Amino acid sequence: MALENKIEMVADLVEAAKNFFVDLFRPDMTLEKISDVVSPRLDDTIKKYENQGLEYSAGKFSIKYADAKHFQLAFEMYFRDAEGKWHKCANESELRDATLLEVGAWKTIQALKVITFPIEKPKSKDDEVLQKDKNLEEYRESLNAPADELDLEKTINVEKK
């Protein structure tokens, strides 16, 4: 691989990471809606760099509690080039206002502090690249909430105890 092409590819990785979180959110986002919005973007990023000769290896997407009124999104993905060198594509969003989230999603983020979704390469066209967070699943089970929706009433009761 020519040095110019390699430098251009790494610069492109950095630029893509910088713009990843632009225009991502709408009001009343649930954790599932966040996953639905982020997953195709991550998939596109993986495909783009694999088409340029990099091999996707692993990554993670996180939703982090920042403070009483804010949360933050972050991702990191690792690619290997033909020469065996590793390249990291990563970014954190600016702090986001908690009011963008559905109340149950915000309570979950406050309780868990970090929700991390492993990023796996899709095996077929309809595969999700974001996998389930084990802590989130255990948290929901402890509340006896369905896997795809948080029972807000039970969350409020847990916090009052």
Side-chain angles (χ1 to χ4, degrees):
M1 176 181 289
L3 182 59
E4 300 86 38
N5 289 347
K6 196 169 194 176
I7 291 170
E8 191 175 298
M9 186 174 12
V10 171
D12 195 28
L13 265 172
V14 171
E15 191 60 33
K18 245 195 287 188
N19 295 322
F20 190 84
F21 293 114
V22 176
D23 298 328
L24 187 63
F25 273 72
R26 304 290 177 257
D28 288 329
M29 294 292 285
T30 63
L31 298 174
E32 286 72 23
K33 285 181 187 175
I34 293 170
S35 176
D36 290 346
V37 170
V38 171
S39 190
R41 288 184 177 203
L42 293 169
D43 187 29
D44 290 346
T45 302
I46 292 169
K47 287 177 186 171
K48 178 180 179 179
Y49 294 107
E50 285 194 330
N51 289 339
Q52 293 180 14
L54 295 177
E55 180 185 342
Y56 177 73
S57 182
K60 65 181 180 178
F61 171 75
S62 302
I63 305 169
K64 303 174 185 178
Y65 175 84
D67 61 38
K69 294 184 180 184
H70 299 97
F71 67 99
Q72 190 172 35
L73 306 172
F75 76 91
E76 55 186 60
M77 295 189 291
Y78 297 90
F79 296 86
R80 192 184 316 209
D81 64 24
E83 297 164 6
K85 290 189 178 180
W86 288 97
H87 301 277
K88 179 179 178 180
C89 180
N91 193 11
E92 285 188 336
S93 70
E94 294 180 6
L95 295 182
R96 302 291 177 130
D97 196 303
T99 60
L100 288 172
L101 298 171
E102 181 267 332
V103 175
W106 177 238
K107 297 246 182 235
T108 301
I109 292 168
Q110 287 176 306
L112 296 178
K113 303 300 183 212
V114 176
I115 300 169
T116 302
F117 301 90
I119 303 169
E120 293 186 8
K121 183 178 171 180
K123 293 174 181 73
S124 69
K125 183 181 174 188
D126 296 325
D127 273 355
E128 290 288 322
V129 294
L130 289 180
Q131 303 304 305
K132 294 184 181 198
D133 175 276
K134 291 178 184 176
N135 291 333
L136 177 59
E137 297 301 310
E138 289 171 6
Y139 177 73
R140 287 182 170 167
E141 285 175 17
S142 74
L143 298 174
N144 294 322
D148 63 342
E149 106 186 21
L150 182 63
D151 186 346
L152 179 59
E153 189 68 32
K154 290 181 181 174
T155 302
I156 293 169
N157 289 338
V158 168
E159 290 189 0
K160 287 180 182 176
K161 291 181 182 177

